[in-house]
Amino acid sequence: MAFSIYTPTMAATRDRIIVATNELFRRHGYNGTSLSQISEAAEATIGSIYHFFPGGKEALGVVVIDTTAGIYRELFESIAADSPDPHSAFQSFFASAGEVLKASNFIDPCPIGTIAREVANTNEALRQAAERAFNSWIASVELYLITAGIDPHSAGDLAVMFVTTVEGTFVVSRTLRSTAPLEAAARHIVTAIDVAPRPTQTTAR
Amino acid sequence: MAFSIYTPTMAATRDRIIVATNELFRRHGYNGTSLSQISEAAEATIGSIYHFFPGGKEALGVVVIDTTAGIYRELFESIAADSPDPHSAFQSFFASAGEVLKASNFIDPCPIGTIAREVANTNEALRQAAERAFNSWIASVELYLITAGIDPHSAGDLAVMFVTTVEGTFVVSRTLRSTAPLEAAARHIVTAIDVAPRPTQTTAR
DNA sequence: GTCTATAATTTGATAGAC
DNA sequence: GTCTATCAAATTATAGAC
């Protein structure tokens, strides 16, 4: 499966607004994106934006975060389901993330971390949405690792580390315009997976 | 001050502007911080800001990034110099980062990653400043690890991974308002350091 | 070096016709 | 649901007196 957040056939106005906002947030962040830009990119008037999101820019931001979080969680679960083991699952995830970065000329693959840093101390609704996103990813990865036979305590640590690594490599790789940080982190994650204790199985990998 | 191009007031005001801007960027990011806020926090008029930074907000941002990058690099090098080995150096770094996060009620410890994500695709001067910051940290950590006897190739990977991990844990820990992600990442970094090859067993460990 | 005043735009948001 | 018109406030930046 392609490493993309876009879903096909989006015609409804509300969906166009969400998709356009997501794209703009990826490039300019939350504070750097104006409603007029969203209106133009979504081909919807400001009036339409307020019709679907009476709470304005903040309410729209919450929906964008929740939607994007779900798409990324499903992307990970899809890659995991198609992989023979955690080692190759994580390898695939980082490999396709790197390809998307390069193909998009190092546009941010995901707006959630950016928004989190911008508003974590000033907008509680958006901060909580980002918290839901991170927690849902951690829970999904943790469950997958446990199901794959990894010691539950190690699985929790590895899941947290995976999410922090994704966030960290996205900033650094994007800023340096190089996938090298992504690849270095992938090697380390995969090694950590390999050496994690597996109570019900002896061989790693 | 006949023989100096700097007057006392000049240095003081310029310094106040840089420090105040750094603090505001940590809380609200680059686009979320206005010159009027900076003016108020620095107790300097808008006219003074433009006197010291004719390039306006962008030029001020570049100086803030470069200054902060140097402070953080020196902080790491100071902790490294005071530690008996890389294992405890990294442990100390993450431990004190966690204390700073808690003590500040999870304000962002560093504005650079936030700015990088906000402007990496729209402001080349700021993106390059962030790139300089990341690269200087990576180079500093790499040199330290090599000096400590770690295999040069591993040292490069570990240095990159350290910087990405710092960035990733700062976002996630701050958003979740918990130092747990920071601690989980610290455990893995320390383990990676422990298992890294040491070809010349001179001063390692 | 510092200050006030202000220019020129843009912002998020609202009202009401259709 | 979509549209135009518009609001008050805030934005970066400049000019010029002191």
Side-chain angles (χ1 to χ4, degrees):
Chain A
M1 152 165 276
F3 192 93
S4 170
I5 59 164
Y6 306 116
T7 60
T9 62
M10 285 199 161
T13 302
R14 200 185 116 103
D15 286 337
R16 282 206 317 277
I17 293 169
I18 293 173
V19 170
T21 305
N22 179 68
E23 295 240 1
L24 286 163
F25 283 175
R26 286 171 54 196
R27 285 169 174 77
H28 316 298
Y30 180 80
N31 290 318
T33 300
S34 69
L35 290 179
S36 63
Q37 286 176 300
I38 294 169
S39 169
E40 188 186 352
E43 295 182 76
T45 62
I46 302 261
S48 285
I49 296 175
Y50 276 91
H51 171 75
F52 288 107
F53 304 95
K57 189 181 178 183
E58 176 186 297
L60 172 56
V62 168
V63 172
V64 166
I65 290 176
D66 284 340
T67 304
T68 307
I71 291 171
Y72 261 87
R73 198 189 59 246
E74 284 163 19
L75 171 67
F76 170 78
E77 289 168 357
S78 163
I79 289 177
D82 289 349
S83 302
D85 51 49
H87 178 108
S88 61
F90 287 102
Q91 210 159 43
S92 292
F93 186 92
F94 281 104
S96 64
E99 278 163 31
V100 166
L101 259 178
K102 265 188 286 191
S104 73
N105 200 26
F106 296 95
I107 300 291
D108 206 318
C110 174
I112 297 179
T114 309
I115 302 175
R117 288 190 82 154
E118 287 183 86
V119 305
N121 294 107
T122 50
N123 189 315
E124 185 61 9
L126 289 171
R127 196 217 110 233
Q128 285 180 6
E131 182 174 20
R132 281 195 298 277
F134 290 153
N135 278 333
S136 79
W137 296 344
I138 291 169
S140 173
V141 175
E142 186 177 8
L143 176 64
Y144 163 66
L145 290 175
I146 291 174
T147 307
I150 286 177
D151 169 67
H153 183 263
S154 300
D157 257 28
L158 286 167
V160 169
M161 197 191 63
F162 171 70
V163 172
T164 60
T165 299
V166 167
E167 286 299 321
T169 52
F170 279 6
V171 206
V172 177
S173 277
R174 187 169 163 234
T175 304
L176 302 188
R177 297 206 192 286
S178 158
T179 54
L182 209 60
E183 288 152 14
R187 283 193 291 274
H188 174 249
I189 292 260
V190 158
T191 301
I193 293 283
D194 288 345
V195 303
R198 286 163 172 75
T200 58
Q201 227 170 321
T202 48
T203 10
R205 172 67 214 268
Chain B
M1 291 294 162
F3 298 104
S4 170
I5 58 168
Y6 297 112
T7 69
T9 47
M10 199 174 155
T13 304
R14 201 186 115 104
D15 229 49
R16 284 205 315 278
I17 293 169
I18 292 173
V19 170
T21 305
N22 179 67
E23 295 243 353
L24 286 163
F25 282 175
R26 285 171 55 194
R27 286 170 173 77
H28 316 299
Y30 180 80
N31 289 318
T33 300
S34 69
L35 290 179
S36 64
Q37 286 176 300
I38 294 170
S39 169
E40 187 186 352
E43 296 182 75
T45 60
I46 301 261
S48 285
I49 295 175
Y50 276 92
H51 171 75
F52 288 108
F53 304 95
K57 189 181 177 182
E58 176 186 298
L60 172 56
V62 168
V63 172
V64 166
I65 290 176
D66 285 339
T67 304
T68 308
I71 291 172
Y72 261 86
R73 198 188 58 246
E74 284 164 19
L75 171 67
F76 170 78
E77 288 169 358
S78 163
I79 289 176
D82 289 348
S83 302
D85 52 50
H87 178 109
S88 63
F90 286 103
Q91 211 158 44
S92 291
F93 186 92
F94 280 105
S96 68
E99 277 163 32
V100 167
L101 259 177
K102 265 189 285 193
S104 72
N105 200 26
F106 295 95
I107 299 291
D108 206 317
C110 172
I112 298 178
T114 310
I115 301 176
R117 289 190 81 154
E118 285 183 271
V119 305
N121 294 107
T122 51
N123 189 315
E124 186 60 8
L126 289 171
R127 195 218 110 231
Q128 285 179 8
E131 182 174 19
R132 281 195 298 276
F134 290 153
N135 279 332
S136 79
W137 296 344
I138 291 169
S140 173
V141 175
E142 187 177 7
L143 177 63
Y144 164 67
L145 289 175
I146 291 174
T147 307
I150 287 178
D151 169 67
H153 184 263
S154 299
D157 257 29
L158 286 167
V160 169
M161 199 189 65
F162 172 70
V163 172
T164 59
T165 299
V166 167
E167 286 298 321
T169 52
F170 280 6
V171 207
V172 177
S173 277
R174 186 167 164 237
T175 304
L176 302 188
R177 298 205 192 285
S178 160
T179 54
L182 209 61
E183 290 152 13
R187 282 194 291 275
H188 277 98
I189 291 262
V190 159
T191 301
I193 293 283
D194 288 342
V195 302
R198 287 165 172 76
T200 57
Q201 200 74 9
T202 49
T203 55
R205 246 8 258 268

